[in-house]
Amino acid sequence: MLVSNDIKITPTEKSRINEINWDTLVFGKEFTDHMLVMNYANGTWNAPEIVPFGNLALHPATSALHYGQALFEGLKAYRQVNGDVTVFRPDMNAVRFKESCERMCMPVIDEELFIQTILKFVETEKNWVSDREGYALYLRPFMFATDPYVGIRPSETYTFVIFACPVGQYYSEPVRVKIEEHYTRAAAGGVGRAKVAGNYGAAMYPAKLGQNEGFHQLLWTDGVSHEYIEESGTMNVMFVKNGTIITPTEESDTILRGITKRSVIEVAQHWGLKVEERKVSVKEVIEGIKDGSVTEMFGAGTAATIAPIVKLGYRDEVLELPPVETREFSNKVSQYITDIKLGKAEDIFGWNFKAS
Ligand SMILES: *Cc1c(COP(=O)(O)O)cnc(C)c1O
C-alpha cells in the first residue's frame, strides 16, 4: 500500500503567497502553489505526484467533457490555535468519493490512499492555511474520464487532481432561498446522491431564474410531487421546529449526504436534543414559519458551513424567519463545530486529521 512518503514532490520555483490580498479573497478565485495529480491506466492508479499548480492539457475528445464522467469533493483544512494544520473529516469524503465513483462507473480510490493524498498535499501547502478568523484552505479533489475516444462507454483512463483555494466566508450575509416547484435537481434512481459535475450544470439555469428574483439559492423539492423539501444548492437544509432538529431523510438517493449536516446531527444528539431525519413537506415548513413553530432554518455545507436562512420564497410569498441572533441552536452548534475545527474545544468526536 502506498504511503504518503512515497508521494513525489516537485516544488514550485517561486511561491505566489505574497501576491494574495487576504482582505479581498473571493471564494474559489485564488489557488495555492501546487496540485496533486494521480493518473489511472491499465486498471491501476499510478503513484500520485505533487507538482507546481498549472494548466492541464486535454485532448479534444476527452471523454469527461462529452459524457460527464466527472466527480468532485470539497473539504477544508484549518489552522488550529496551537499552529497545527488539520483537515476536517476527510475519512467521510473518502467514503463519499468512493460511492460517487461506483455510481458513475469510475475506478474507486482506496479510502486510505484518498486520505493520505489529502494530508500530504495539505502539508505541502500548509503556509496557505490562514489563522485569520473565518478563513480556511478549501480543498478540491476531483476526478474525470480522460480517454480520447468519442464512443460512449466507461473510460479506461482517468485523472485525479487535488488543488486548494485559500478562502474566507462563503456567504457574507444571511441567505434567501426560494422553493422550486418546477425544475428538478435529482430524480430517484439518478445521481443526486453523488457529487457528480453534471448535477451542478443542470441546476444553473433554474438557479439563475431564482437569482433574478433576488434569491441566493433554490430550495429543491422532490422530482415527483414537488411537495417534499430536499436540499439547497450545495447545502443540506435543516430546521428547528418546537425544539426538534429536523432534516430531510437521505434514504432517497436524491440528496447529497452532507458531512456538515451529519456533524450537526451528531452534536445535537450528543447534547441530548431530539433529531428527526424524515420527509419534510413544503406545507409543514410554510405552516411552521407562519405559526412560529419553525424557529430556525439553515443550510449546512463545507463551503458555507452553517448558513442561516432568513427569507423563504414560496410561490408569490416571501416568508421571513426569526432574526439570526435569536437562533439558539444554529448559533451554538456553529460555534461549537468551529471551536472543534480550530482546537478551541476538545475534539471528542475525532474529527480533525492532522496534516502538519
Ligand atoms: C457538497 C454538497 C453538500 C454539502 O456537503 P458537505 O459534505 O457538508 O460539504 C450538500 N448538497 C450538495 C448538492 C453538495 O454538493
Side-chain angles (χ1 to χ4, degrees):
M1 188 34 232
L2 188 129
V3 291
S4 58
N5 290 339
D6 298 336
I7 300 178
K8 186 179 161 207
I9 303 176
T10 309
T12 180
E13 281 171 15
K14 188 175 181 301
S15 174
R16 283 175 288 102
I17 196 163
N18 292 328
E19 295 165 22
I20 300 294
N21 184 342
W22 293 86
D23 295 322
T24 57
L25 272 188
V26 177
F27 190 99
K29 283 210 168 156
E30 301 288 350
F31 301 88
T32 65
D33 290 323
H34 300 93
M35 57 189 185
L36 179 141
V37 181
M38 180 165 77
N39 292 310
Y40 180 90
N42 302 318
T44 180
W45 285 105
N46 296 320
E49 285 193 35
I50 294 173
V51 296
F53 185 83
N55 292 342
L56 303 168
L58 299 178
H59 189 286
T62 295
S63 164
L65 300 178
H66 302 264
Y67 309 125
Q69 275 186 302
L71 325 153
F72 67 98
E73 269 302 326
L75 65 169
K76 280 177 176 171
Y78 297 89
R79 178 70 64 178
Q80 300 228 333
V81 282
N82 71 357
D84 285 354
V85 173
T86 53
V87 180
F88 190 70
R89 310 193 77 176
D91 52 331
M92 299 281 282
N93 298 89
V95 171
R96 191 169 66 194
F97 194 70
K98 195 170 163 192
E99 289 171 355
S100 294
C101 289
E102 280 163 356
R103 179 62 184 83
M104 291 302 283
C105 208
M106 295 161 77
V108 300
I109 295 178
D110 174 83
E111 289 163 38
E112 193 51 38
L113 174 59
F114 182 95
I115 296 168
Q116 290 302 325
T117 59
I118 295 279
L119 296 179
K120 187 70 187 177
F121 179 64
V122 170
E123 188 188 2
T124 311
E125 304 303 74
K126 62 174 184 269
N127 292 345
W128 292 83
V129 188
S130 171
D131 61 1
R132 287 181 172 225
E133 197 184 336
Y135 283 62
L137 187 65
Y138 181 77
L139 306 166
R140 172 51 63 90
F142 68 105
M143 177 173 157
F144 61 100
T146 53
D147 275 6
Y149 176 55
V150 178
I152 300 187
R153 58 145 167 77
S155 180
E156 289 168 356
T157 59
Y158 295 85
T159 295
F160 173 74
V161 180
I162 309 172
F163 65 73
C165 300
V167 296
Q169 235 109 358
Y170 190 74
Y171 288 114
S172 51
E173 53 176 355
V175 181
R176 303 181 295 273
V177 300
K178 186 196 153 192
I179 294 180
E180 177 59 52
E181 293 184 289
H182 175 70
Y183 295 100
T184 299
R185 188 191 88 93
V191 294
R193 182 184 285 178
K195 241 173 150 72
V196 172
N199 285 341
Y200 305 85
M204 282 178 196
Y205 177 69
K208 181 78 194 161
L209 297 179
Q211 282 156 15
N212 291 346
E213 292 177 47
F215 298 97
H216 294 99
Q217 280 290 349
L218 298 177
L219 186 56
W220 297 105
T221 52
D222 70 279
V224 178
S225 68
H226 294 292
E227 284 173 21
Y228 293 95
I229 290 179
E230 302 223 299
E231 59 174 313
S232 181
T234 56
M235 305 185 296
N236 294 113
V237 63
M238 309 185 82
F239 305 87
V240 180
K241 183 184 172 192
N242 295 324
T244 298
I245 324 302
I246 297 170
T247 191
T249 172
E250 299 176 336
E251 273 164 27
S252 81
D253 52 9
T254 54
I255 297 181
L256 195 104
R257 299 177 158 200
I259 296 160
T260 315
K261 174 184 76 173
R262 186 58 44 207
S263 305
V264 169
I265 291 172
E266 288 169 19
V267 169
Q269 285 169 338
H270 173 72
W271 286 342
L273 298 172
K274 199 164 159 225
V275 178
E276 291 174 0
E277 292 185 72
R278 59 167 170 79
K279 285 181 124 182
V280 181
S281 71
V282 173
K283 186 160 172 275
E284 175 181 5
V285 169
I286 299 298
E287 285 178 3
I289 295 173
K290 287 185 174 167
D291 71 19
S293 57
V294 170
T295 51
E296 306 185 31
M297 176 175 179
F298 56 96
T302 296
T305 323
I306 306 290
I309 294 169
V310 286
K311 286 196 169 137
L312 179 62
Y314 177 57
R315 298 184 180 169
D316 296 330
E317 290 179 88
V318 180
L319 306 181
E320 297 254 358
L321 280 114
V324 176
E325 351 30 291
T326 65
R327 303 186 183 191
E328 210 180 313
F329 175 72
S330 42
N331 288 328
K332 194 173 151 202
V333 80
S334 172
Q335 186 64 52
Y336 181 60
I337 293 177
T338 301
D339 286 349
I340 290 179
K341 287 170 174 171
L342 302 181
K344 292 180 181 172
E346 193 191 337
D347 181 17
I348 55 170
F349 303 98
W351 285 343
N352 297 322
F353 283 55
K354 196 163 179 287
S356 105

